[in-house]
Amino acid sequence: MTHSTKKRTPSRATRRALGLALAIAGFSAQAQTEAAAPQPMAAASAPAEAAPAAPPQTRLRFNRGTYKPGIERLRVVRRENTVQNVAGQVALNVAFAVLAGGVAAQGFSKDDLGGTTLEELKDDPLGVNPAISDLNDALSKVATDIYRKRAEAALATALTDGSTPEEIEAARQIPKEADTPLLPGPWHLVYENLLGSDELFRLKFGADLGRPGFMRPPIECRYQSEPVAWARWQADNWQLLREERAKAVEACTKIISAAPEKRW
């Protein structure tokens, strides 16, 4: 029997199956290589986002007014301050009466005395007059809202009245400082009784919005605590003073914020 020596050729179906198997093997090897390669960190390629700019704010301008330097810090008015002032006032009255033919000079109030600063609070923000710090911060938020409304109205007008680009840009600006100043009132711990030894003191604070004037006086706020023993004021690192300070700021913020917008 004669055997054929002709080499058998794989069928078309076999060749297709073989090609598909090789392709799958190649894809699997490539996937393993890519998985083994270190991947770059996403954070390294992503640019850092810039923090949004803070919106412009209008601050109230602190003006000492008629107060002498020293109103910026808490001061204590004690009995001896009145005694010293009375001695000086008596001498002044005598001299004034001689010069004016018997007319006496005017008296004074203990609230008008300068007093002395507290060494314990010289570096503590608690001793700073709230008209400079806390109250100014609170009222500046109110001023910012008012001046923003004014800027929006001015911009709307500028866009329709033929204003130049420079004038339009100026109209949209919110001023950094309000036109109306914030003036301080007292920031004192004042003795309650001249006679006796009760050592009671009241915290007194005040502030005015606007310049003094006959036709349009400033918006005034005055706050005072109940009389409290000096030892209680000092207790727990002046905790009571911190609480009363917060009440004073809240009260004056409420009163002055209620002023008509045209007064700002």
Side-chain angles (χ1 to χ4, degrees), residues 56-69:
Q57 186 182 45
T58 301
R59 297 283 300 176
L60 289 180
R61 174 163 40 91
F62 177 81
N63 189 325
R64 188 186 297 125
T66 58
Y67 281 92
K68 297 179 180 179

Side-chain angles (χ1 to χ4, degrees), residues 22-93:
L22 291 174
I24 293 175
F27 178 80
S28 176
Q30 181 180 1
Q32 292 177 2
T33 303
E34 291 179 353
Q39 299 296 320
M41 295 181 64
S45 60
E49 295 185 2
Q57 186 182 45
T58 301
R59 297 283 300 176
L60 289 180
R61 174 163 40 91
F62 177 81
N63 189 325
R64 188 186 297 125
T66 58
Y67 281 92
K68 297 179 180 179
I71 190 65
E72 296 86 354
R73 305 292 303 185
L74 179 70
R75 304 183 74 84
V76 180
V77 178
R78 304 180 185 277
R79 291 187 180 93
E80 51 264 35
N81 298 126
T82 291
V83 173
Q84 294 167 1
N85 198 82
V86 167
Q89 190 71 42
V90 169
L92 177 63
N93 284 354

Side-chain angles (χ1 to χ4, degrees), residues 43 50 67 74 91 94 97 127 168 253:
Y67 281 92
L74 179 70
V94 172
I168 293 175
T253 299

Side-chain angles (χ1 to χ4, degrees), residues 8 17 26 38-39 65 71 86-87 106 118 138 153 156 160 174 196-197 221 246 249 260:
R8 179 175 294 181
Q39 299 296 320
I71 190 65
V86 167
Q106 293 183 348
L118 284 169
T160 58
I174 298 176
S197 58
C221 169
V249 170

